[in-house]
Amino acid sequence: MEFLLEGIMSVTWQQILMYLVGIILIWLAIKKEYEPALLLPMGFGAILVNLPNTGVINQVLAGVGDTNGIIEWLFHVGIEASEALPILLFIGIGAMIDFGPLLSQPVMFLFGAAAQLGIFIAICAAVLLGFDLKDAASIGIIGAADGPTSILVSQILHSKYIGAIAVAAYSYMALVPIVQPFAIRLVTTKKERTIHMEYKPAGVSKAMRIAFPIVVTIIVGMIAPMSVALVGFLMFGNLLRECGVLGNLSDTAQNGLANLITLLLGITISFSMRADAFVRVDTLMIMGIGLIAFVFDTIGGVLFAKILNLFRKEKINPMIGAAGISAFPMSARVVQKMAQKEEPGNIILMHAVGANVSGQIASVIAGGLVISLVTRFL
């Protein structure tokens, strides 16, 4: 009987708290349908890695010696050693993205850049709160609204908060439908939110669609070489989509590969959600800074649109700027839903999609630039 109760008696209050965190993530995934492909494995993994003497992480058994745990092995091989999982996921993401709405309206490139404001505000906030530079930079990338980029940057900079950063990044991505409307309403008026925009896309030739991922990879490789792994795989996935001769591979990247990597990435990240590394005051501070980053990302994009309107005859609905974050396609859908709610029949979805895919590129570039800048001071 003593043997059977040993596990129960060794549970700590911190582990119990992590069980609750895991259950909340699973609830958000199933009940609210917030990024279920990621939050559900993360939530279940948080429970697995916090069971007493759990076999999913490495441990030493009496009379046996070292034993390997599958989740810890996946973490070391798929993230710590090579960042393979977040990078491979970008092939699937690239294959899903249609850059047509962006290429037909090049001005949307600017919104992707403007909506990265939260990254730099979050970095400053983290430094002021006492985090060292490499941890502050890793925390700031939560503002990229891009889970794989957040994981990659925090891993390259050897941040000790990778678990909290990943949870914050994916949690706030899932909570975009709650966070963004609040931030948009802070800096816009009812009149601005009801601005109509005509969609008159310029023609995008097949040659341009094929050339775009190649040109972007070369340009980004010149200005932000540390982001080439992410942007290169993103653009490779898009090239599979656009080339027209690899339909089966494109479908595999969009479905089989993306789903498999997402599944593995979610449960692998849970290794960093062990109670001893996660239940800390620092974690709460990181969650707070992440929220600040998302809010200022949204505000940055909206305010940039309002500035452009000072010089334009045909006004831009400033909510389009909020879609410049990397949470694709959720942010574009949120903006369209708000436009419909403010005035039924107001369709700005394609403009929002253009800004949204621009944010996907901009977030990766921002991550590479942050790595390059921070490593100069370490």
Side-chain angles (χ1 to χ4, degrees):
M1 196 56 155
E2 223 174 277
F3 173 76
L4 295 175
L5 294 176
E6 185 179 350
I8 297 174
M9 298 302 294
S10 61
V11 174
T12 65
W13 70 266
Q14 291 97 333
Q15 289 172 324
I16 293 173
L17 181 60
M18 292 310 298
Y19 300 156
L20 293 175
V21 170
I23 291 168
I24 290 170
L25 292 177
I26 293 171
W27 179 80
L28 289 172
I30 297 173
K31 182 68 175 179
K32 297 296 184 180
E33 297 185 15
Y34 291 162
E35 294 287 339
L38 277 166
L39 293 193
L40 192 146
M42 283 175 62
F44 194 74
I47 296 172
L48 288 179
V49 300
N50 284 291
L51 293 171
N53 304 315
T54 179
V56 299
I57 60 177
N58 297 349
Q59 56 180 304
V60 179
L61 296 179
V64 176
D66 295 337
T67 61
N68 294 324
I70 182 63
I71 291 182
E72 185 165 353
W73 179 82
L74 281 170
F75 181 84
H76 289 312
V77 173
I79 295 179
E80 189 174 55
S82 62
E83 296 90 34
L85 292 179
I87 290 173
L88 288 173
L89 180 59
F90 263 61
I91 297 177
I93 294 172
M96 295 177 194
I97 294 177
D98 177 7
F99 285 111
L102 175 61
L103 293 173
S104 65
Q105 302 178 94
V107 69
M108 294 301 166
F109 276 104
L110 300 175
F111 293 114
Q116 307 307 311
L117 174 66
I119 293 175
F120 304 99
I121 289 179
I123 291 174
C124 294
V127 170
L128 291 174
L129 288 171
F131 291 95
D132 66 33
L133 184 58
K134 66 179 182 180
D135 288 326
S138 302
I139 293 166
I141 296 297
I142 295 171
D146 188 334
T149 301
S150 299
I151 294 168
L152 184 71
V153 172
S154 58
Q155 189 58 44
I156 289 176
L157 295 180
H158 300 297
S159 171
K160 56 181 175 286
Y161 300 110
I162 182 172
I165 289 168
V167 171
Y170 282 118
S171 297
Y172 288 127
M173 282 173 64
L175 295 174
V176 160
I178 297 173
V179 175
Q180 282 213 295
F182 164 77
I184 290 170
R185 290 192 179 97
L186 279 179
V187 290
T188 59
T189 64
K190 170 77 173 180
K191 183 178 179 181
E192 288 172 329
R193 295 194 296 270
T194 57
I195 292 175
H196 284 249
M197 298 176 65
E198 290 188 36
Y199 184 58
K200 300 176 181 176
V204 181
S205 66
K206 182 176 180 179
M208 183 181 292
R209 288 177 177 271
I210 292 173
F212 180 72
I214 299 171
V215 172
V216 167
T217 302
I218 294 172
I219 293 175
V220 172
M222 298 295 181
I223 64 174
M226 290 304 299
S227 64
V228 165
L230 284 176
V231 79
F233 276 58
L234 179 76
M235 292 300 153
F236 173 63
N238 188 250
L239 187 59
L240 291 178
R241 173 195 178 98
E242 300 296 352
C243 70
V245 296
L246 294 173
N248 288 337
L249 288 182
S250 177
D251 291 341
T252 298
Q254 294 180 50
N255 299 296
L257 178 66
N259 290 334
L260 177 61
I261 297 298
T262 299
L263 178 69
L264 291 175
L265 183 60
I267 203 163
T268 300
I269 282 299
S270 67
F271 172 71
S272 298
M273 298 174 69
R274 302 179 320 281
D276 58 339
F278 197 87
V279 182
R280 306 167 49 157
V281 174
D282 292 349
T283 300
L284 293 176
M285 293 170 66
I286 289 169
M287 296 299 289
I289 295 169
L291 179 58
I292 291 171
F294 264 68
V295 169
F296 276 96
D297 276 346
T298 302
I299 289 175
V302 171
L303 292 181
F304 181 74
K306 294 177 73 166
I307 292 170
L308 283 184
N309 279 344
L310 297 176
F311 308 97
R312 288 175 60 99
K313 184 176 180 181
E314 294 184 7
K315 304 301 181 185
I316 297 171
N317 188 316
M319 292 195 296
I320 296 296
I325 69 170
S326 179
F328 175 84
M330 188 180 294
S331 184
R333 291 173 180 165
V334 168
V335 167
Q336 175 54 42
K337 188 174 180 180
M338 285 188 70
Q340 283 280 90
K341 186 175 180 181
E342 296 289 344
E343 185 177 353
N346 189 7
I347 308 297
I348 59 174
L349 179 61
M350 296 310 293
H351 301 282
V353 168
N356 211 178
V357 297
S358 170
Q360 188 74 65
I361 300 172
S363 67
V364 177
I365 296 174
L369 289 174
V370 167
I371 292 171
S372 297
L373 290 172
V374 169
T375 51
R376 293 174 184 267
F377 296 96
L378 294 178

